Amino acid sequence: MAYASKKEEESGLSSYYNNKTTIIQEASVFNDSPISPRKCRALLTRIVYLLYIGENFSSQEATRLFFGTTKLFQHKDSALRQMVYLAIKELATTAEDVIMVTSSIMKDMQPNSEVIYRPNAIRALCRIIDPSMAQGVERFFKAAIVDRTPSISSAALVSSYHLFPHAKDVVKRWVNEAQEAVNAKSSPSLFGGSSGGYLNFGSSSSSNNGYQPIPSTSCITQYHALGLLYLIRQQDRMAVTKMIQQLGGGKSGAGTTLKNGMALCMLIRYAAKVAEEDPNVQKQILDLLDGWLRHKSDMVNFEAARAICEMKNINATQLTKSIAVLQLFLSSPKPVLKFAATRTLASLALTHPASVAACNVDLESLIADPNRSVATYAITTLLKTGNEASVDRLMKQITGFMSEISDEFKVIIVDAIRSLCLKFPAKHVSMLAFLSGVLRDEGGYDFKRAVVEAMFDMIKYIADCKEQALSHLCEFIEDCEFTKLSVRILHLLGVEGPKALQPTKYIRFIYNRVVLENATVRAAAVSSLAKFGVNAVDPGLRRSIGILLNRCLDDVDDEVRDRAAMFLKVFKEKPLADAYVKEESVFSLAALESKLVAYISDPSASAQPFDSSSIPKISRAQLAAEASRPSTLDTIAAPITRTNASPPPPTAAETQSIYAQQLAEVPELAEYGPVLNSSAKPVQLTETETEYQVTCVKHIFKEHIVFQFNVSNTLPDTVLEQVSVIMQPQTESALTEDFIIPVPTLTASTSPSIVYVSFSRDSSEEYVTASFQCGLKFVSKELDPSTGEPEEEGYEDEYQLEEVELTAGGDYIMPSYSSFSSEWERLRSGSTATETFSLAAMESIKAACDSIIEILNMEPLGGTEVPTSPSVHTLQLSGLVTGGGGKVLVRCRMTFAKGQGVTLELGVRAEQESACALVVSAVSG
């Protein structure tokens, strides 16, 4: 039951009249003799009203009212009996011993009982009975489901739907009756009528003679029956597909037995879900949906059109008919049809803007629609499908009604403009003027954040508007009530301001924040000022910044004072400035978390300080990309996913933590120490369709290498025993096999299970690369179908797996961001190597870059992974080598000549000689 606000009491009857205590006292009217139907109906109405507005009855109070209500079964008044069932149904969830009233309810459920309150009895019984009693009332429900009266049949179907989660096996046996209800051609009325009129108010006759159902054409029973059928069959995709084909009515849709519009809409949704789960039937489903586009009901037409528009991998030709239907709805006099059509077209424009462009003329006529929700979606669709020439005209039209719509729709429009300015950068002047105007308007945090982020993107991607956008943001923080936005803008000013032609014009706005704002904003302003001071070319500007920071030393907040003191110290020492202000890289948070978890989990590690040198770094741009929120335009206007939301894949840190936990549970590996590195992704060693599936993960320890094989048995009638993996190195390697930890028993239900193979490294300083031939060895036994136990005798078998390779890039080197020029100079005194290679097979410099990055698994720097010239290019790479190998940088100078391929000069600088040799061997090998 949906609860309304309790404040609604003030607009209804008096608070005394609807007081819970008063009602419980007046419940004595149920014991009067003779019973007064009028008084009892009025009191039951007040009870149900209190339940509706959220009044809580204690178990004792609910039980008292419940059994007082059951005494009214003595009276035959139809309207009173209906009210009794409504009260019983609502009180049943709180009252105790409610099952005692079952026999009274079942008397009114008899198939030969022609009374108006039989549907009420069915609904009440569903709430009353225990799931174990479902089998006892099975015949009553079966009879009611196929009853010729729609109200009775619908009540039985809906009750069965609610009973299904508690008594699945019983309700599944009612599938034939539900199928019969779906196929019913015509039925009498939804409401039964008696001589006293509908609900018999004002009548206290004890007879129900004259009960004559009025004919009805709604066929609502089909909608309820279809829902129950799908609930029963939802785990059987073939059965659902067959049901859709049977009820679909062929390609034209004319042969369907479904007459109810809601039932057809439900069938369309089931069909769309089947097409999404099984692409093989997509063409058949598409033919059915095309037929429903010509149905006489607007609701069915729209549902079919929307289902087609939301299908995956659909082309422009297949969209033509559905877009034509939606285009007709755009000119409909019904606001709901216009809203539905514009919202669907706005979603479709994200993926098929060219197809939606055919509706632009109709959409432009909706910009002035009195329904601002329709106008908003029309505008956002036009912004996605329009051309550069229409931008200025659209911007003028948008400005006119921004003040008339809610923040939610303002966000949609701002995000559409955000995408448009990146699409047409030449029109940035009008769009920036619009954004700066709405930034001064009233609005909530989400709206202001959307505008600010749109400006951030313009600053980042459109260089011509950078200074103007920064000036608008400076004006905004003068009167910004949102601390988070002020902090973000101050950070951006600190990054972009020093690069401007006149950086001094921003300092006044930043220092005003130190004087006027709260502690959080003041601290951000201090950091922003420091960036101006460190990056300033003019010594006079640096001195001015120092004076301002000295004033901050007297701030009342600790954070502000500490930041000011630190940055004053940084000004005096260039290495500190490079490390704390100019540094463009940060630790990879996922890798940092993984290393910290391993450090805390290892008791022996606490004797040594935490070593951060082995943690890879990423650029600030990469960090921002990882943490960036999706565009509101993408989330609000995107098609709704019909399938259950799958959990997101585990992060790198979560994956490493899972591996560490698995390894910690193996006693034989306890002495190996912390894991230096684990494979980012398991390597597939078998085809995905085979009966045995194996993946491999490699774990690098200081003195050992452990291969983890995840083995799955997909045969339900076979058990594998003594499962192990035999590894043979193809060449001599500096590895010695220690042991194999096999899986004793492997069945389909216990898959996947893990086989470990451990090798010792002959030298912990040497980075061993090798290739291994692998085979899965096991004893196969059949399962006895009668007992489920494996047979005593089995046979030994081997299954050949793909080769497992221990490589430099995949297993020893991790990508790590750094500032190439400064690090390259720093490593001048370290280990260096230069080799020249002829890559004759490479067809372009881009192919050579991709191949080198894949082999070395290093971080490309400065966008050098994308060549700017087809003949000459320099690729810069950075990485970390596990096990104390330290930082390694690679400079690849390449030239390309047609017919000769790519000539590569490989320059390597590293902190360790072994790391330098590892990179050279990886490329040469």
Side-chain angles (χ1 to χ4, degrees):
M1 176 178 283
Y3 296 122
S5 169
K6 293 195 72 172
K7 291 182 181 178
E8 291 182 8
E9 290 183 50
E10 297 172 7
S11 60
L13 302 173
S14 69
S15 58
Y16 172 76
Y17 185 69
N18 286 322
N19 183 273
K20 181 173 76 170
T21 306
T22 305
I23 287 176
I24 293 173
Q25 289 173 351
E26 292 181 9
S28 59
V29 74
F30 297 150
N31 300 321
D32 288 354
S33 183
I35 293 172
S36 171
R38 185 183 62 81
K39 289 183 179 179
C40 292
R41 282 201 306 266
L43 186 60
L44 289 171
T45 302
R46 291 160 63 192
I47 292 172
V48 173
Y49 174 72
L50 280 183
L51 289 167
Y52 171 72
I53 63 172
E55 187 70 62
N56 292 320
F57 287 87
S58 67
S59 179
Q60 184 179 358
E61 292 168 342
T63 304
R64 180 181 172 186
L65 289 173
F66 182 89
F67 284 102
T69 304
T70 59
K71 294 177 182 178
L72 302 179
F73 277 109
Q74 302 170 43
H75 204 282
K76 297 297 183 182
D77 182 80
S78 297
L80 175 60
R81 187 66 60 88
Q82 286 182 301
M83 205 64 224
V84 165
Y85 280 127
L86 186 57
I88 282 176
K89 188 161 67 77
E90 300 304 332
L91 289 169
T93 55
T94 313
E96 298 176 352
D97 301 325
V98 294
I99 206 167
M100 293 172 64
V101 79
T102 305
S103 59
S104 299
I105 297 176
M106 290 179 68
K107 286 179 184 177
D108 290 341
M109 276 187 57
Q110 298 298 328
N112 58 356
S113 173
E114 292 192 359
V115 289
I116 193 173
Y117 44 78
R118 187 177 165 200
N120 305 82
I122 294 170
R123 291 191 182 94
L125 185 67
C126 175
R127 293 284 187 95
I128 296 295
I129 62 170
D130 187 88
S132 60
M133 296 176 60
Q135 193 165 354
V137 297
E138 183 173 6
R139 67 185 182 90
F140 294 104
F141 274 95
K142 281 187 173 183
I145 288 171
V146 295
D147 195 282
R148 64 190 183 88
T149 308
S151 58
I152 295 173
S153 180
S154 289
L157 288 164
V158 174
S159 298
S160 304
Y161 193 96
H162 291 301
L163 201 58
F164 183 80
H166 310 291
K168 289 184 180 179
D169 295 336
V170 176
V171 177
K172 281 180 180 178
R173 296 201 292 264
W174 307 345
V175 66
N176 292 333
E177 285 73 19
Q179 186 71 52
E180 188 176 337
V182 168
N183 295 328
K185 302 245 173 157
S186 62
S187 304
S189 167
L190 177 63
F191 306 115
S194 66
S195 58
Y198 175 57
L199 292 184
N200 268 1
F201 277 103
S203 169
S204 58
S205 65
S206 59
S207 171
N208 285 282
N209 295 332
Y211 172 72
Q212 295 293 332
I214 303 168
S216 168
T217 56
S218 71
C219 300
I220 191 66
T221 305
Q222 293 184 331
Y223 172 66
H224 296 142
L226 183 63
L228 180 62
L229 267 180
Y230 180 76
L231 190 67
I232 293 172
R233 295 174 173 174
Q234 62 182 341
Q235 303 301 330
D236 187 349
R237 188 187 299 169
M238 293 298 294
V240 173
T241 306
K242 186 178 179 182
M243 178 183 75
I244 293 168
Q245 291 171 343
Q246 287 174 344
L247 299 175
K251 287 188 177 182
S252 66
T256 180
T257 57
L258 297 179
K259 306 299 180 188
N260 181 268
M262 289 190 289
L264 276 167
C265 288
M266 186 68 74
L267 189 67
I268 290 169
R269 293 187 180 187
Y270 295 154
K273 186 174 182 181
V274 168
E276 186 176 359
E277 293 174 351
D278 186 3
N280 296 325
V281 300
Q282 183 168 339
K283 188 177 184 306
Q284 301 170 14
I285 298 296
L286 196 58
D287 291 340
L288 285 174
L289 294 176
D290 280 341
W292 284 321
L293 288 173
R294 297 183 289 275
H295 196 270
K296 61 183 179 181
S297 167
D298 290 339
M299 179 168 60
V300 176
N301 294 343
F302 169 71
E303 194 64 42
R306 187 177 71 166
I308 293 172
C309 291
E310 291 181 0
M311 274 189 173
K312 294 178 180 177
N313 304 320
I314 195 163
N315 57 47
T317 307
Q318 294 168 324
L319 285 169
T320 306
K321 293 180 182 178
S322 59
I323 291 177
V325 170
L326 294 172
Q327 191 171 6
L328 287 174
F329 287 165
L330 293 177
S331 54
S332 169
K334 299 177 182 178
V336 68
L337 286 179
K338 288 189 287 190
F339 177 80
T342 52
R343 189 172 190 270
T344 305
L345 289 171
S347 303
L348 186 62
L350 291 169
T351 53
H352 295 84
S355 299
V356 179
C359 304
N360 280 4
V361 175
D362 300 274
L363 288 166
E364 286 195 27
S365 66
L366 295 177
I367 293 176
D369 194 273
N371 186 318
R372 287 314 188 192
S373 300
V374 173
T376 302
Y377 275 119
I379 279 284
T380 54
T381 309
L382 286 168
L383 288 173
K384 292 177 226 172
T385 60
N387 53 36
E388 193 167 358
S390 64
V391 170
D392 291 332
R393 177 168 47 83
L394 287 173
M395 297 304 296
K396 289 178 183 177
Q397 291 174 307
I398 292 171
T399 308
F401 72 85
M402 278 295 283
S403 60
E404 302 174 22
I405 59 176
S406 66
D407 275 10
E408 182 182 359
F409 286 109
K410 286 180 182 177
V411 169
I412 296 175
I413 288 178
V414 168
D415 269 343
I417 292 170
R418 173 185 179 184
S419 303
L420 194 68
C421 25
L422 302 182
K423 186 178 179 183
F424 304 122
K427 294 293 183 181
H428 70 268
V429 176
S430 60
M431 287 184 273
L432 188 59
F434 170 80
L435 291 174
S436 64
V438 297
L439 199 57
R440 291 189 289 269
D441 294 343
E442 292 295 322
Y445 172 72
D446 288 333
F447 168 53
K448 297 289 185 174
R449 181 181 67 172
V451 178
V452 168
E453 290 193 349
M455 287 188 168
F456 280 9
D457 280 357
M458 294 181 75
I459 291 169
K460 183 176 181 181
Y461 297 110
I462 306 173
D464 293 341
C465 72
K466 182 181 291 186
E467 294 210 12
Q468 189 179 358
L470 287 175
S471 298
H472 288 312
L473 291 173
C474 284
E475 293 173 10
F476 172 63
I477 60 173
E478 287 286 290
D479 190 28
C480 177
E481 58 184 308
F482 304 109
T483 299
K484 286 184 179 180
L485 292 182
S486 295
V487 170
R488 292 188 61 188
I489 293 170
L490 287 168
H491 174 73
L492 182 73
L493 287 171
V495 173
E496 301 291 344
K499 303 175 187 175
L501 294 175
Q502 295 179 327
T504 52
K505 67 181 179 180
Y506 304 115
I507 293 176
R508 174 174 63 86
F509 295 99
I510 298 172
Y511 188 68
N512 282 348
R513 308 281 60 77
V514 177
V515 177
L516 302 172
E517 289 286 359
N518 59 49
T520 306
V521 178
R522 294 202 305 272
V526 167
S527 297
S528 185
L529 284 173
K531 290 173 184 174
F532 276 84
V534 169
N535 295 299
V537 178
D538 181 9
L541 177 60
R542 184 189 290 262
R543 283 195 300 272
S544 300
I545 296 292
I547 293 170
L548 295 178
L549 290 178
N550 270 302
R551 293 178 184 174
C552 297
L553 294 175
D554 298 327
D555 196 277
V556 294
D557 186 75
D558 292 347
E559 176 73 15
V560 178
R561 293 197 305 271
D562 290 347
R563 288 195 186 194
M566 183 190 79
F567 287 124
L568 285 170
K569 175 75 172 175
V570 163
F571 281 3
K572 299 174 184 176
E573 299 184 27
K574 188 176 182 301
L576 290 178
D578 293 339
Y580 290 105
V581 179
K582 293 184 178 181
E583 178 62 50
E584 296 180 0
S585 63
V586 293
F587 286 122
S588 166
L589 297 182
L592 177 61
E593 180 188 5
S594 175
K595 295 289 185 183
L596 286 171
V597 168
Y599 180 76
I600 294 170
S601 304
D602 186 4
S604 60
S606 59
Q608 299 293 329
F610 179 72
D611 181 16
S612 61
S613 62
S614 62
I615 301 172
K617 291 187 175 183
I618 58 176
S619 66
R620 293 189 184 276
Q622 288 174 305
L623 181 66
E626 289 178 4
S628 64
R629 70 179 181 96
S631 167
T632 312
L633 183 69
D634 298 336
T635 54
I636 293 180
I640 299 168
T641 306
R642 286 198 172 93
T643 54
N644 293 330
S646 57
T651 63
E654 289 171 341
T655 303
Q656 296 288 337
S657 298
I658 292 169
Y659 289 151
Q661 185 177 356
Q662 289 174 340
L663 294 169
E665 293 172 356
V666 182
E668 291 87 344
L669 308 178
E671 298 179 355
Y672 285 11
V675 183
L676 301 180
N677 190 31
S678 294
S679 306
K681 293 182 180 179
V683 180
Q684 191 76 32
L685 302 183
T686 57
E687 298 292 334
T688 54
E689 298 84 8
T690 56
E691 59 268 32
Y692 310 123
Q693 296 178 11
V694 183
T695 60
C696 179
V697 178
K698 291 160 279 186
H699 305 288
I700 310 298
F701 293 85
K702 184 177 181 180
E703 297 180 352
H704 299 83
I705 297 176
V706 175
F707 297 86
Q708 172 184 324
F709 295 94
N710 305 309
V711 186
S712 295
N713 173 19
T714 63
L715 301 177
D717 55 352
T718 304
V719 60
L720 307 183
E721 295 183 352
Q722 301 174 20
V723 182
S724 60
V725 176
I726 308 301
M727 301 182 68
Q728 293 289 339
Q730 292 188 348
T731 58
E732 287 294 326
S733 64
L735 294 174
T736 306
E737 184 176 311
D738 297 323
F739 53 79
I740 301 174
I741 304 177
V743 175
T745 305
L746 181 65
T747 62
S749 60
T750 59
S751 297
S753 293
I754 300 174
V755 175
Y756 289 104
V757 181
S758 173
F759 285 84
S760 292
R761 298 166 66 177
D762 294 350
S763 171
S764 60
E765 306 297 327
E766 184 180 352
Y767 298 101
V768 181
T769 57
S771 181
F772 298 84
Q773 288 184 341
C774 300
L776 185 67
K777 189 175 182 181
F778 52 86
V779 176
S780 179
K781 294 184 179 181
E782 298 292 326
L783 286 174
D784 189 333
S786 58
T787 62
E789 297 294 326
E791 297 178 353
E792 292 185 5
E793 295 185 2
Y795 61 92
E796 291 189 2
D797 198 0
E798 287 193 17
Y799 191 86
Q800 192 65 35
L801 305 176
E802 296 288 336
E803 291 183 0
V804 173
E805 293 188 345
L806 202 58
T807 60
D811 300 308
Y812 297 112
I813 303 175
M814 296 179 288
S816 179
Y817 182 85
S818 64
S819 177
F820 187 84
S821 55
S822 59
E823 283 294 306
W824 187 257
E825 286 301 315
R826 185 180 70 83
L827 294 174
R828 178 190 291 273
S829 58
S831 298
T832 62
T834 305
E835 296 284 346
T836 303
F837 301 94
S838 177
L839 310 178
M842 292 296 169
E843 298 178 353
S844 66
I845 287 182
K846 180 68 170 71
C849 288
D850 293 342
S851 179
I852 292 169
I853 292 171
E854 182 181 358
I855 290 171
L856 295 179
N857 189 36
M858 296 175 73
E859 182 75 26
L861 303 175
T864 55
E865 69 273 19
V866 181
T868 55
S869 167
S871 55
V872 180
H873 182 63
T874 300
L875 172 66
Q876 299 171 348
L877 301 172
S878 172
L880 272 180
V881 180
T882 60
K887 177 80 74 175
V888 59
L889 295 181
V890 174
R891 184 179 65 190
C892 304
R893 291 174 172 171
M894 292 174 276
T895 59
F896 175 75
K898 198 168 183 180
Q900 298 180 2
V902 174
T903 301
L904 166 67
E905 181 192 84
L906 180 75
V908 185
R909 291 186 181 180
E911 294 177 348
Q912 303 288 338
E913 181 67 36
S914 56
C916 196
L918 177 68
V919 172
V920 174
S921 64
V923 176
S924 62

